[in-house]
């Protein structure tokens, strides 16, 4: 702006100066011309009535050094010239001023002389005898006048430029100061009327920016809140594979410091496959891999970002991987468990069909086949129940169930078996109810009582206690049986785990009883505890949330 004002001012002043200088030179030149003509006329006119002889005599006496005096006879012969020998001059009859003076009595004019390189002013006067008196005086031409004025003009222009510079500086400061004083944070008021539309636009834009900024901030806060509450880890890396953002889960998983932003991903996770996938994602290719991180298994997804860089998602698949492993093992175990009774049934049936069994042994074979088939059925029932529980017992109904009544029913159902095993079965307890699925609860009681009877000693006892315990309902099944060795205690809830396989088989066990019990407890959000001393007995305590009245 300063430069523009300075240039405009300088240009304006310089043009004005030059125009003024030209004007003055023209006026001065015209003035000078008029003065010269007047002087020439003043000197010549006294001779208007004189003749050649008088004039010659007069001019012989008077000497004008600043003027050329020429006396020309009526025929053009030069009679006298004060600057040169008249005899050497040619006939002057053809000269314009001479012609005009002969015709009109007098004439004046100017002509540029190549000889003296000056403009010469003439005044010619016809004398009484017809001779012509011509007075001439050189005048400076207008360009000369202008040239002589030029140094002064140049100095003035330089002075004007200097003044313009100072004035432009001050002017700019004075013009700009109110604009600079505008507070961009506050509502702008126009310092000049001409700026009112701009002030209005600035205010509208400021308001729009403020709204947009607020939107962006709230959007960012929402995004941050979402990403930070996510269980999945999220990392964003830029095109140079440097960390841009990591949510709380990712920070926790990879032990990322809060000041790690901007650091290379190499310092975040030093894993070749991870870094290779990251580079590919930065170049626009999606990818995924499974990694063992911290104490879990993670599926890591790499996606390219539109504006370079990549986003990495860490999904905890530990449970899924574990469940898959369990399912694989379960399938293998199920096949194995099913194969044993089936092989036995097939073998016995083959012997029977080939007629290789003595008629007296036939009842034994039929009983064997029946027992194996019964085992097969209870195995399949347990497997189906297990699968149902694995699916989260979908669709099962939870109601308020009386534990004491369910316990009584279970004891009644197991009384016959207890008698067979010569075990005394006793129920203790107080009324108490739990929010549960009655069928599952029955299954839980039956399985626990069944084990307590099966793995007991002849003449032993089983005691079932139910009742409230603080905020919970408690079921305690305690026996005086063979007990469970310490090293097996942690595993008896696993599927198909048996401490003594042959005893379990003999008693019709499937190896799924306690696994089913544990699952039922989990589905009811309860807890199960085991205490056992080999040779002395086992106590299993189940705690279930009490039904709210
Ligand atoms: P099973 O069908 O073989 O009884 P369970 O899952 O019910 O399978 O039990 C797993 C194993 O735990 C049993 O094989 C047995 O060895 C042991 N067990 C369970 N309950 C008792 C108990 N009350 N006393 C001693 N051992 C037990």
């Amino acid at each position: 702006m300063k430069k523009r004002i300075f240039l405009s001012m300088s240009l304006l002043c310089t043009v004005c100066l030059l125009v003024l200088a030209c004007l003055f030179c023209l006026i001065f030149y015209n003035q000078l011309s008029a003065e010269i003509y007047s002087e020439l006329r003043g000197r010549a006119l006294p001779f208007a009535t004189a003749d050649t002889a008088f004039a010659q005599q007069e001019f012989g006496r008077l000497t004008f050094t600043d003027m050329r005096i020429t006396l020309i006879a009526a025929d053009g012969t030069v009679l006298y010239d004060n600057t040169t020998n008249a005899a050497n001059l040619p006939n002057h009859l053809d000269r314009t001023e001479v012609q005009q003076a002969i015709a009109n009595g007098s004439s004046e004019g100017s002509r540029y002389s190549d000889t003296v390189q000056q403009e010469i002013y003439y005044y010619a006067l016809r004398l009484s005898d017809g001779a012509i008196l011509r007075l001439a005086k050189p005048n400076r031409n207008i360009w000369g006048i202008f040239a002589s004025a030029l140094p002064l003009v140049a100095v003035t222009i330089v002075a004007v430029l200097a003044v313009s510079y100072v004035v432009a500086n001050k002017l700019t400061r004075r013009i700009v100061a109110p604009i600079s004083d505008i507070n961009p944070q506050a509502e702008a008021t126009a310092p000049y009327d001409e700026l009112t539309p701009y002030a209005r636009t600035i205010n509208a834009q400021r308001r729009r920016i403020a709204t947009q900024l607020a939107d962006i901030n709230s959007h960012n806060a929402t995004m941050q809140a979402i990403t930070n509450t996510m269980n999945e880890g999220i990392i964003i890396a830029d095109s140079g594979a440097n960390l841009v953002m990591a949510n709380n889960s990712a920070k926790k998983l990879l032990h990322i410091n809060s000041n790690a932003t901007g650091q290379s991903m190499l310092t975040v996770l030093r894993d070749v496959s991870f870094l290779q996938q990251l580079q590919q994602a930065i170049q626009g290719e999606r990818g995924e891999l499974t990694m063992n991180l911290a104490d879990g298994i993670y599926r890591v997804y790499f996606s390219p970002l539109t504006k370079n860089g990549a986003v990495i998602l860490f999904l905890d698949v530990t449970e899924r991987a574990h469940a898959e492993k369990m399912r694989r093992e379960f399938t293998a175990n199920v096949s194995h468990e099913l194969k044993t009774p089936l092989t036995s049934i097939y073998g016995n049936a083959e012997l029977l069909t080939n007629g290789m069994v003595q008629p007296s042994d036939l009842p034994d074979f039929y009983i064997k086949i029946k027992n194996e088939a019964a085992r097969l059925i209870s195995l399949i029932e347990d497997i189906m129940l297990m699968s149902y529980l694995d699916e989260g017992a979908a669709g099962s109904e939870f109601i308020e169930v009386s534990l004491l009544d369910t316990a009584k029913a279970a004891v009644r159902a197991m009384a016959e078996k207890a008698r067979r095993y010569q075990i005394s079965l006793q129920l203790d307890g107080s009324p108490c109810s739990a929010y549960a699925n009655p069928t599952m609860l029955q299954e839980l009681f039956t399985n626990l009582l069944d084990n307590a009877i099966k793995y007991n000693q002849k003449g032993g006892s089983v005691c079932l206690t139910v009742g409230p315990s603080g905020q919970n309902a408690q079921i305690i099944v305690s026996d005086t049986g063979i007990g469970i060795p310490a090293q097996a205690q942690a595993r008896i809830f696993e599927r198909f785990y048996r401490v003594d396989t042959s005893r379990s088989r003999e008693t019709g066990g499937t190896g799924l009883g306690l696994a089913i019990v544990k699952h039922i407890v989990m589905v009811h959000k309860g807890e199960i505890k085991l205490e056992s001393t080999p040779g002395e007995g086992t106590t299993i305590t189940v705690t279930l949330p009490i039904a709210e009245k």
Side-chain angles (χ1 to χ4, degrees), residues 375 382 447-456 462 477-485 488 491-501 503-505 507-517 530-532 537-540:
R375 213 162 91 76
D382 277 1
N447 280 1
L448 290 178
L449 288 176
D450 188 51
N451 279 351
I453 294 166
K454 280 191 313 190
Y455 304 108
N456 216 315
V462 172
V477 181
S478 142
D479 65 62
T480 55
I482 57 169
I484 303 160
R491 298 197 61 193
I492 58 161
F493 295 103
E494 288 177 14
R495 295 160 193 207
F496 300 112
Y497 181 81
R498 298 164 177 110
V499 178
D500 180 351
T501 314
R503 181 166 181 155
S504 166
R505 289 239 165 87
T507 54
T510 59
L512 287 172
L514 284 183
I516 289 170
V517 168
L530 166 87
E531 282 167 67
S532 183
T538 302
T539 300
I540 292 179

Side-chain angles (χ1 to χ4, degrees), residues 39 41 58 60 73 154 183 220 233 313 339 375 411 414 483 522 526:
E39 190 189 351
R41 231 180 283 123
E58 275 301 302
N183 181 2
N220 270 354
L313 182 73
K339 205 176 163 196
R375 213 162 91 76
V411 168
M414 297 309 290
M522 270 167 56

